[in-house]
Coordinates of all heavy atoms in Angstrom, one line a residue:
M813 N -22.4 -7.7 -13.9 CA -22.3 -6.2 -14.0 C -23.6 -5.6 -13.5 O -24.6 -6.1 -13.7 CB -22.0 -5.8 -15.4 CG -20.7 -6.1 -15.9 SD -20.5 -5.3 -17.5 CE -18.9 -5.8 -17.9
S814 N -23.4 -4.5 -12.8 CA -24.6 -3.8 -12.4 C -24.8 -2.5 -13.2 O -23.8 -1.8 -13.5 CB -24.4 -3.4 -10.9 OG -24.2 -4.5 -10.1
F815 N -26.0 -2.3 -13.5 CA -26.4 -1.0 -14.2 C -27.4 -0.3 -13.4 O -28.2 -0.8 -12.7 CB -26.9 -1.4 -15.6 CG -25.9 -1.9 -16.5 CD1 -25.7 -3.3 -16.6 CD2 -25.0 -1.1 -17.3 CE1 -24.7 -3.8 -17.5 CE2 -24.1 -1.6 -18.1 CZ -23.9 -3.0 -18.2
Y816 N -27.4 1.0 -13.6 CA -28.3 1.9 -12.9 C -28.8 2.9 -13.9 O -28.1 3.5 -14.7 CB -27.5 2.6 -11.7 CG -28.4 3.6 -10.9 CD1 -29.3 3.1 -10.1 CD2 -28.2 4.9 -11.1 CE1 -30.1 4.0 -9.3 CE2 -29.0 5.8 -10.3 CZ -29.9 5.3 -9.5 OH -30.7 6.2 -8.7
R817 N -30.1 3.2 -13.8 CA -30.8 4.1 -14.7 C -30.9 5.5 -14.0 O -31.5 5.6 -13.0 CB -32.1 3.6 -15.2 CG -32.7 4.5 -16.2 CD -33.9 3.8 -16.9 NE -34.3 4.6 -18.0 CZ -35.3 5.5 -17.9 NH1 -35.9 5.7 -16.8 NH2 -35.7 6.2 -19.0
L818 N -30.4 6.5 -14.7 CA -30.6 7.9 -14.2 C -31.7 8.5 -14.9 O -31.8 8.4 -16.2 CB -29.3 8.7 -14.4 CG -28.1 8.2 -13.6 CD1 -26.9 9.0 -14.1 CD2 -28.3 8.5 -12.2
P819 N -32.7 9.1 -14.2 CA -33.8 9.7 -15.0 C -33.2 10.9 -15.8 O -32.6 11.8 -15.4 CB -34.7 10.3 -13.8 CG -34.2 9.6 -12.6 CD -32.8 9.2 -12.8
G820 N -33.5 10.8 -17.1 CA -33.1 11.9 -18.0 C -31.6 11.7 -18.4 O -31.1 12.5 -19.2
G821 N -30.9 10.8 -17.9 CA -29.5 10.6 -18.2 C -29.1 9.3 -18.8 O -28.0 9.1 -19.3
G822 N -30.0 8.4 -18.9 CA -29.7 7.1 -19.5 C -29.2 6.1 -18.5 O -29.4 6.2 -17.3
W823 N -28.5 5.1 -19.0 CA -28.0 4.0 -18.1 C -26.5 4.3 -17.8 O -25.8 4.8 -18.6 CB -28.1 2.7 -18.9 CG -29.5 2.3 -19.0 CD1 -30.4 2.6 -20.1 CD2 -30.3 1.5 -18.1 NE1 -31.6 2.0 -19.9 CE2 -31.6 1.3 -18.7 CE3 -30.0 0.9 -16.9 CZ2 -32.6 0.6 -18.1 CZ3 -31.1 0.2 -16.3 CH2 -32.3 0.1 -16.9
M824 N -26.1 3.9 -16.6 CA -24.7 3.9 -16.3 C -24.3 2.7 -15.6 O -25.1 2.0 -14.9 CB -24.4 5.2 -15.4 CG -24.9 5.1 -14.0 SD -24.5 6.6 -13.1 CE -22.9 6.3 -12.5
H825 N -23.0 2.3 -15.7 CA -22.4 1.1 -15.2 C -21.9 1.4 -13.8 O -21.1 2.4 -13.6 CB -21.3 0.6 -16.1 CG -20.6 -0.6 -15.6 ND1 -19.4 -0.5 -15.0 CD2 -21.0 -1.9 -15.5 CE1 -19.0 -1.8 -14.6 NE2 -20.0 -2.6 -14.9
L826 N -22.2 0.6 -12.8 CA -21.6 0.7 -11.5 C -20.4 -0.2 -11.4 O -20.6 -1.5 -11.6 CB -22.7 0.4 -10.4 CG -23.9 1.3 -10.4 CD1 -24.9 0.8 -9.3 CD2 -23.5 2.7 -10.1
N827 N -19.3 0.3 -11.1 CA -18.1 -0.5 -11.1 C -18.1 -1.4 -9.8 O -18.3 -0.9 -8.7 CB -16.9 0.4 -11.0 CG -15.6 -0.3 -11.2 OD1 -15.6 -1.5 -11.6 ND2 -14.5 0.4 -11.0
E828 N -17.8 -2.6 -10.0 CA -17.7 -3.6 -8.8 C -16.3 -3.7 -8.5 O -15.5 -4.4 -9.2 CB -18.4 -4.9 -9.2 CG -19.9 -4.7 -9.4 CD -20.5 -6.1 -9.8 OE1 -19.9 -7.1 -9.7 OE2 -21.7 -6.0 -10.1
V829 N -15.9 -3.2 -7.4 CA -14.5 -3.2 -7.0 C -14.3 -4.3 -5.9 O -15.1 -4.4 -5.0 CB -14.0 -1.8 -6.4 CG1 -12.6 -1.9 -6.0 CG2 -14.2 -0.8 -7.5
K830 N -13.2 -5.0 -6.0 CA -12.9 -6.0 -5.0 C -12.5 -5.3 -3.7 O -11.9 -4.3 -3.7 CB -11.7 -6.9 -5.4 CG -12.1 -7.8 -6.6 CD -11.0 -8.9 -6.8 CE -9.6 -8.4 -6.7 NZ -8.6 -9.4 -7.1
P831 N -12.9 -5.8 -2.5 CA -12.5 -5.2 -1.3 C -11.0 -5.3 -1.1 O -10.3 -6.2 -1.6 CB -13.2 -6.0 -0.2 CG -13.6 -7.3 -0.8 CD -13.7 -7.0 -2.3
P832 N -10.4 -4.3 -0.3 CA -8.9 -4.4 -0.1 C -8.5 -5.6 0.7 O -9.3 -6.1 1.5 CB -8.6 -3.1 0.7 CG -9.9 -2.7 1.3 CD -11.0 -3.2 0.4
R833 N -7.3 -6.1 0.4 CA -6.8 -7.3 1.1 C -6.4 -6.9 2.5 O -5.8 -5.9 2.8 CB -5.6 -7.8 0.4 CG -5.0 -9.1 1.0 CD -3.8 -9.6 0.2 NE -2.6 -8.9 0.5 CZ -1.7 -9.3 1.4 NH1 -2.0 -10.4 2.1 NH2 -0.6 -8.7 1.6
V834 N -6.8 -7.8 3.5 CA -6.5 -7.6 4.9 C -5.1 -8.2 5.1 O -4.9 -9.3 4.8 CB -7.5 -8.2 5.8 CG1 -7.1 -8.1 7.2 CG2 -8.9 -7.6 5.6
V835 N -4.1 -7.3 5.5 CA -2.8 -7.8 5.6 C -2.6 -8.4 7.0 O -3.0 -7.7 8.0 CB -1.8 -6.6 5.5 CG1 -0.4 -7.0 5.6 CG2 -2.0 -5.9 4.1
P836 N -2.1 -9.6 7.1 CA -1.9 -10.2 8.4 C -0.9 -9.4 9.3 O 0.0 -8.7 8.7 CB -1.3 -11.6 8.1 CG -1.7 -11.9 6.7 CD -1.8 -10.5 6.0
A837 N -1.0 -9.5 10.6 CA -0.2 -8.6 11.5 C 1.3 -8.9 11.3 O 2.1 -7.9 11.4 CB -0.6 -8.9 12.9
H838 N 1.7 -10.1 11.0 CA 3.1 -10.4 10.9 C 3.7 -9.9 9.6 O 4.9 -9.9 9.4 CB 3.4 -11.9 11.1 CG 2.9 -12.7 10.0 ND1 1.5 -13.1 10.0 CD2 3.4 -13.2 8.9 CE1 1.4 -13.9 8.9 NE2 2.5 -14.0 8.2
E839 N 2.9 -9.5 8.6 CA 3.4 -8.9 7.4 C 3.3 -7.4 7.3 O 3.7 -6.8 6.3 CB 2.6 -9.5 6.2 CG 2.8 -11.0 6.0 CD 2.1 -11.5 4.7 OE1 1.5 -10.7 4.0 OE2 2.1 -12.7 4.5
R840 N 2.7 -6.7 8.3 CA 2.6 -5.3 8.3 C 3.9 -4.6 8.7 O 4.6 -5.0 9.6 CB 1.5 -4.9 9.3 CG 0.1 -5.2 8.9 CD -0.9 -4.5 9.8 NE -2.2 -5.2 9.6 CZ -2.9 -5.6 10.6 NH1 -2.6 -5.4 11.8 NH2 -4.1 -6.2 10.3
H841 N 4.2 -3.5 8.0 CA 5.4 -2.8 8.3 C 5.1 -1.8 9.4 O 3.9 -1.3 9.6 CB 5.8 -2.0 7.1 CG 6.4 -2.9 6.0 ND1 7.6 -3.4 6.0 CD2 5.8 -3.3 4.9 CE1 7.8 -4.1 4.9 NE2 6.7 -4.1 4.2
R842 N 6.1 -1.4 10.2 CA 5.9 -0.4 11.2 C 6.8 0.8 10.8 O 8.1 0.7 10.9 CB 6.4 -0.9 12.6 CG 5.7 -2.1 13.0 CD 4.9 -1.9 14.3 NE 4.4 -3.1 14.7 CZ 3.1 -3.4 14.7 NH1 2.2 -2.5 14.2 NH2 2.6 -4.6 15.1
W843 N 6.3 1.8 10.1 CA 7.0 2.9 9.5 C 7.5 3.8 10.6 O 6.8 4.1 11.6 CB 6.2 3.6 8.5 CG 5.8 2.7 7.4 CD1 4.5 2.2 7.1 CD2 6.6 2.0 6.4 NE1 4.5 1.4 6.1 CE2 5.8 1.2 5.6 CE3 8.0 2.0 6.2 CZ2 6.3 0.4 4.6 CZ3 8.5 1.2 5.1 CH2 7.6 0.4 4.4
S844 N 8.7 4.4 10.4 CA 9.3 5.3 11.3 C 8.6 6.6 11.4 O 8.6 7.3 12.4 CB 10.8 5.5 11.0 OG 10.9 6.0 9.7
R845 N 8.0 7.0 10.3 CA 7.3 8.3 10.2 C 6.4 8.2 9.0 O 6.4 7.3 8.2 CB 8.2 9.5 10.1 CG 9.1 9.5 8.9 CD 10.1 10.6 8.9 NE 10.9 10.5 7.8 CZ 11.0 11.4 6.8 NH1 10.3 12.5 6.9 NH2 11.8 11.3 5.8
V846 N 5.5 9.2 8.9 CA 4.6 9.4 7.8 C 5.3 10.3 6.8 O 5.4 11.5 7.0 CB 3.2 9.9 8.2 CG1 2.4 10.1 6.9 CG2 2.6 9.1 9.2
P847 N 5.8 9.7 5.6 CA 6.5 10.6 4.7 C 5.6 11.4 3.9 O 4.5 11.1 3.6 CB 7.3 9.5 3.8 CG 6.4 8.3 3.9 CD 5.8 8.3 5.2
V848 N 6.1 12.6 3.5 CA 5.4 13.4 2.5 C 6.0 13.2 1.2 O 7.0 12.5 1.0 CB 5.5 14.9 2.9 CG1 4.8 15.2 4.2 CG2 7.0 15.4 3.0
R849 N 5.5 13.8 0.1 CA 6.0 13.6 -1.2 C 7.5 13.9 -1.3 O 7.9 15.0 -0.9 CB 5.2 14.4 -2.2 CG 3.8 14.1 -2.3 CD 3.6 12.8 -3.0 NE 2.2 12.3 -2.8 CZ 1.8 11.1 -2.8 NH1 2.6 10.1 -3.0 NH2 0.5 10.8 -2.7
G850 N 8.2 13.0 -1.9 CA 9.7 13.2 -2.1 C 10.5 12.8 -1.0 O 11.7 12.9 -1.0
Q851 N 9.9 12.2 0.1 CA 10.7 11.7 1.3 C 10.5 10.2 1.4 O 9.6 9.7 0.9 CB 10.3 12.5 2.5 CG 10.7 14.0 2.5 CD 10.3 14.6 3.8 OE1 9.7 14.1 4.7 NE2 10.8 15.9 3.9
A852 N 11.3 9.6 2.3 CA 11.2 8.2 2.5 C 11.0 7.9 4.0 O 11.3 8.7 4.9 CB 12.5 7.5 2.0
A853 N 10.4 6.7 4.3 CA 10.3 6.2 5.7 C 10.9 4.8 5.7 O 10.9 4.1 4.7 CB 8.8 6.2 6.1
T854 N 11.4 4.4 6.9 CA 12.0 3.1 7.1 C 11.2 2.3 8.0 O 10.7 2.8 9.0 CB 13.4 3.3 7.6 OG1 14.1 4.2 6.8 CG2 14.2 2.0 7.7
C855 N 11.0 1.0 7.7 CA 10.3 0.1 8.6 C 11.2 -0.2 9.8 O 12.4 -0.5 9.7 CB 10.0 -1.2 7.9 SG 9.2 -2.5 8.9
K856 N 10.6 -0.1 11.0 CA 11.4 -0.3 12.2 C 11.7 -1.8 12.4 O 12.7 -2.1 13.2 CB 10.6 0.2 13.4 CG 10.4 1.7 13.4 CD 9.5 2.1 14.6 CE 9.2 3.5 14.6 NZ 8.4 3.9 15.8
R857 N 11.0 -2.7 11.8 CA 11.2 -4.1 12.0 C 12.2 -4.8 11.0 O 13.1 -5.5 11.4 CB 9.9 -4.9 12.0 CG 9.0 -4.5 13.2 CD 7.8 -5.3 13.4 NE 7.2 -6.0 12.3 CZ 6.1 -6.6 12.3 NH1 5.4 -6.7 13.4 NH2 5.6 -7.2 11.3
C858 N 12.0 -4.4 9.7 CA 12.8 -5.1 8.7 C 13.8 -4.2 8.0 O 14.7 -4.7 7.3 CB 11.9 -5.8 7.7 SG 11.0 -4.8 6.7
G859 N 13.7 -2.9 8.1 CA 14.6 -2.0 7.4 C 14.2 -1.6 6.0 O 15.0 -0.9 5.3
C860 N 13.1 -2.1 5.5 CA 12.6 -1.8 4.2 C 12.3 -0.3 4.1 O 11.8 0.3 5.1 CB 11.3 -2.6 3.9 SG 10.5 -2.2 2.3
Q861 N 12.5 0.4 3.0 CA 12.3 1.8 2.8 C 11.1 2.0 1.9 O 10.9 1.3 0.9 CB 13.5 2.5 2.2 CG 14.6 2.7 3.2 CD 15.7 3.5 2.6 OE1 15.8 3.7 1.4 NE2 16.6 4.0 3.4
K862 N 10.2 2.9 2.2 CA 9.0 3.3 1.5 C 9.2 4.8 1.0 O 9.5 5.6 1.9 CB 7.8 3.2 2.3 CG 6.5 3.6 1.7 CD 5.4 3.5 2.7 CE 4.1 3.9 2.1 NZ 2.9 3.7 3.0
C863 N 9.1 5.0 -0.3 CA 9.3 6.4 -0.7 C 8.1 6.8 -1.6 O 7.7 6.1 -2.5 CB 10.6 6.4 -1.6 SG 10.9 8.1 -2.2
F864 N 7.6 8.0 -1.2 CA 6.5 8.6 -2.0 C 7.2 9.6 -3.0 O 7.8 10.6 -2.6 CB 5.6 9.4 -1.2 CG 4.6 8.6 -0.4 CD1 4.6 8.6 1.0 CD2 3.7 7.7 -1.0 CE1 3.7 7.9 1.7 CE2 2.8 7.0 -0.3 CZ 2.8 7.0 1.1
R865 N 7.2 9.3 -4.2 CA 7.9 10.1 -5.2 C 7.1 11.3 -5.5 O 5.9 11.4 -5.3 CB 8.2 9.3 -6.5 CG 9.2 8.2 -6.3 CD 9.6 7.6 -7.6 NE 10.7 6.7 -7.5 CZ 11.1 5.9 -8.5 NH1 10.6 6.0 -9.6 NH2 12.1 5.1 -8.2
I866 N 7.7 12.3 -6.1 CA 7.0 13.6 -6.5 C 6.0 13.3 -7.5 O 5.0 14.0 -7.6 CB 8.1 14.6 -6.9 CG1 8.9 15.0 -5.7 CG2 7.4 15.9 -7.4 CD1 10.1 15.9 -6.0
D867 N 6.2 12.3 -8.4 CA 5.2 12.0 -9.4 C 4.0 11.1 -8.9 O 3.4 10.4 -9.7 CB 5.9 11.4 -10.6 CG 6.6 10.1 -10.3 OD1 6.7 9.7 -9.1 OD2 7.1 9.4 -11.2
Y868 N 3.8 11.1 -7.6 CA 2.7 10.4 -6.9 C 2.8 8.8 -7.1 O 1.8 8.2 -7.2 CB 1.3 10.9 -7.4 CG 1.1 12.3 -7.1 CD1 1.3 13.3 -8.0 CD2 0.6 12.7 -5.8 CE1 1.1 14.6 -7.7 CE2 0.4 14.0 -5.5 CZ 0.7 15.0 -6.4 OH 0.5 16.3 -6.1
E869 N 4.0 8.3 -7.2 CA 4.2 6.9 -7.2 C 4.9 6.4 -5.9 O 5.7 7.1 -5.4 CB 5.2 6.6 -8.4 CG 5.4 5.1 -8.6 CD 6.3 4.8 -9.8 OE1 7.0 5.7 -10.2 OE2 6.4 3.7 -10.2
T870 N 4.4 5.3 -5.4 CA 5.0 4.8 -4.2 C 5.9 3.6 -4.6 O 5.5 2.7 -5.3 CB 3.9 4.3 -3.2 OG1 3.0 5.3 -3.0 CG2 4.5 3.8 -1.9
V871 N 7.2 3.6 -4.1 CA 8.1 2.6 -4.4 C 8.7 2.1 -3.1 O 8.7 2.8 -2.1 CB 9.2 3.0 -5.4 CG1 8.7 3.3 -6.7 CG2 10.0 4.2 -4.8
Y872 N 9.2 0.9 -3.1 CA 9.8 0.2 -1.9 C 11.2 -0.3 -2.3 O 11.4 -0.7 -3.4 CB 8.9 -1.0 -1.5 CG 7.5 -0.5 -1.1 CD1 6.5 -0.5 -2.1 CD2 7.2 -0.2 0.2 CE1 5.2 -0.2 -1.8 CE2 5.9 0.2 0.5 CZ 4.9 0.2 -0.5 OH 3.6 0.6 -0.2
R873 N 12.1 -0.3 -1.3 CA 13.4 -0.9 -1.5 C 13.7 -1.7 -0.2 O 13.6 -1.2 0.9 CB 14.4 0.2 -1.6 CG 15.8 -0.3 -1.9 CD 16.8 0.8 -2.2 NE 16.3 2.1 -1.9 CZ 17.0 3.2 -2.0 NH1 18.2 3.2 -2.4 NH2 16.4 4.4 -1.8
L874 N 14.1 -3.0 -0.4 CA 14.4 -3.9 0.7 C 15.8 -3.5 1.3 O 16.6 -2.9 0.6 CB 14.5 -5.3 0.2 CG 13.1 -5.9 -0.3 CD1 13.4 -7.3 -0.9 CD2 12.1 -5.9 0.8
A875 N 15.9 -3.8 2.5 CA 17.2 -3.4 3.2 C 18.4 -4.2 2.6 O 18.3 -5.4 2.3 CB 17.1 -3.8 4.7
G876 N 19.4 -3.4 2.3 CA 20.6 -4.0 1.7 C 20.5 -4.3 0.2 O 21.3 -5.1 -0.3
S877 N 19.5 -3.8 -0.4 CA 19.3 -4.1 -1.9 C 19.2 -2.8 -2.6 O 18.8 -1.7 -2.0 CB 18.0 -4.9 -2.1 OG 17.7 -5.1 -3.4
T878 N 19.5 -2.8 -3.9 CA 19.4 -1.6 -4.7 C 18.2 -1.7 -5.6 O 17.8 -0.8 -6.4 CB 20.6 -1.3 -5.6 OG1 20.9 -2.5 -6.4 CG2 21.8 -1.1 -4.7
E879 N 17.5 -2.9 -5.6 CA 16.3 -3.1 -6.5 C 15.1 -2.3 -6.0 O 14.8 -2.3 -4.8 CB 16.0 -4.6 -6.5 CG 14.9 -5.0 -7.4 CD 14.5 -6.5 -7.3 OE1 15.2 -7.2 -6.6 OE2 13.6 -6.8 -8.0
I880 N 14.4 -1.7 -6.9 CA 13.2 -0.9 -6.5 C 12.0 -1.6 -6.9 O 11.9 -2.1 -8.0 CB 13.3 0.5 -7.2 CG1 14.5 1.3 -6.7 CG2 12.0 1.2 -7.0 CD1 14.6 2.6 -7.3
L881 N 11.1 -1.8 -5.9 CA 9.9 -2.6 -6.1 C 8.7 -1.6 -6.2 O 8.6 -0.6 -5.5 CB 9.6 -3.6 -5.0 CG 10.8 -4.5 -4.7 CD1 10.6 -5.3 -3.4 CD2 11.0 -5.5 -5.9
T882 N 7.7 -1.9 -7.0 CA 6.5 -1.1 -7.1 C 5.3 -1.7 -6.2 O 4.4 -0.9 -5.9 CB 6.0 -0.9 -8.5 OG1 5.8 -2.2 -9.1 CG2 7.0 -0.2 -9.4
E883 N 5.4 -2.9 -5.8 CA 4.4 -3.5 -5.0 C 5.0 -3.7 -3.6 O 6.2 -3.9 -3.4 CB 4.0 -4.9 -5.5 CG 3.2 -4.8 -6.8 CD 2.7 -6.2 -7.2 OE1 2.8 -7.1 -6.4 OE2 2.3 -6.3 -8.4
R884 N 4.2 -3.5 -2.5 CA 4.6 -3.6 -1.2 C 5.0 -5.0 -0.8 O 4.3 -6.0 -0.9 CB 3.5 -3.2 -0.2 CG 3.9 -3.1 1.2 CD 2.8 -3.0 2.2 NE 1.8 -4.1 2.1 CZ 2.0 -5.3 2.7 NH1 3.1 -5.5 3.5 NH2 1.1 -6.2 2.6
P885 N 6.3 -5.2 -0.4 CA 6.8 -6.5 0.0 C 6.3 -6.8 1.4 O 6.1 -5.9 2.2 CB 8.3 -6.4 -0.1 CG 8.6 -5.0 0.2 CD 7.4 -4.2 -0.4
P886 N 6.1 -8.1 1.8 CA 5.7 -8.4 3.2 C 6.9 -8.1 4.1 O 8.1 -8.2 3.7 CB 5.4 -9.9 3.1 CG 6.1 -10.4 2.0 CD 6.2 -9.3 1.0
C887 N 6.6 -7.7 5.3 CA 7.6 -7.5 6.3 C 8.2 -8.8 6.8 O 7.4 -9.6 7.3 CB 7.0 -6.7 7.5 SG 8.3 -6.2 8.7
N888 N 9.5 -9.0 6.6 CA 10.1 -10.2 7.0 C 10.8 -10.1 8.4 O 11.4 -11.1 8.8 CB 11.0 -10.8 6.0 CG 12.1 -9.8 5.6 OD1 12.3 -8.7 6.3 ND2 12.9 -10.0 4.6
G889 N 10.7 -9.0 9.0 CA 11.4 -8.8 10.3 C 10.6 -9.5 11.4 O 9.4 -9.5 11.4
S890 N 11.3 -9.9 12.4 CA 10.5 -10.6 13.5 C 10.1 -9.5 14.5 O 10.8 -8.5 14.8 CB 11.4 -11.6 14.2 OG 12.6 -10.9 14.7
P891 N 8.9 -9.6 15.0 CA 8.4 -8.6 16.0 C 9.2 -8.7 17.3 O 9.8 -9.7 17.6 CB 6.9 -9.0 16.3 CG 6.8 -10.4 15.8 CD 7.9 -10.6 14.8
K892 N 9.3 -7.5 18.0 CA 10.0 -7.5 19.2 C 9.4 -8.4 20.3 O 8.2 -8.4 20.4 CB 10.1 -6.0 19.7 CG 10.9 -5.1 18.8 CD 10.9 -3.7 19.3 CE 11.6 -2.8 18.3 NZ 11.7 -1.5 18.8
A893 N 10.2 -9.1 21.1 CA 9.7 -9.9 22.1 C 9.1 -9.1 23.2 O 9.6 -8.1 23.6 CB 10.8 -10.8 22.7
S894 N 7.9 -9.5 23.6 CA 7.2 -8.7 24.7 C 7.5 -9.3 26.0 O 7.7 -10.6 26.2 CB 5.7 -8.7 24.5 OG 5.2 -10.0 24.4
S895 N 7.7 -8.5 27.0 CA 8.0 -9.0 28.4 C 6.6 -9.4 29.1 O 5.7 -8.7 29.0 CB 8.6 -7.9 29.2 OG 9.7 -7.4 28.5
P896 N 6.6 -10.5 29.8 CA 5.4 -10.9 30.4 C 5.1 -10.1 31.7 O 5.8 -9.4 32.2 CB 5.6 -12.4 30.8 CG 7.1 -12.6 30.7 CD 7.6 -11.5 29.8

């Protein structure tokens, strides 16, 4: 733990936060648009839906499923073949 002393304010704790996880390219979603609160976007590769709810919660729904997930699932769609 790291502590920092403020003159005239005493000691304070500096929060040590883990760096964000780097998502591999084959697991990244390609969203159809940037949704605003209360709207949804669809992944162009796998069909997963991402919804920003009005209560500031982000939920995901896999294609063909009614189950709602709170953590981002990896994209299981195959990338489009590129022409040489």
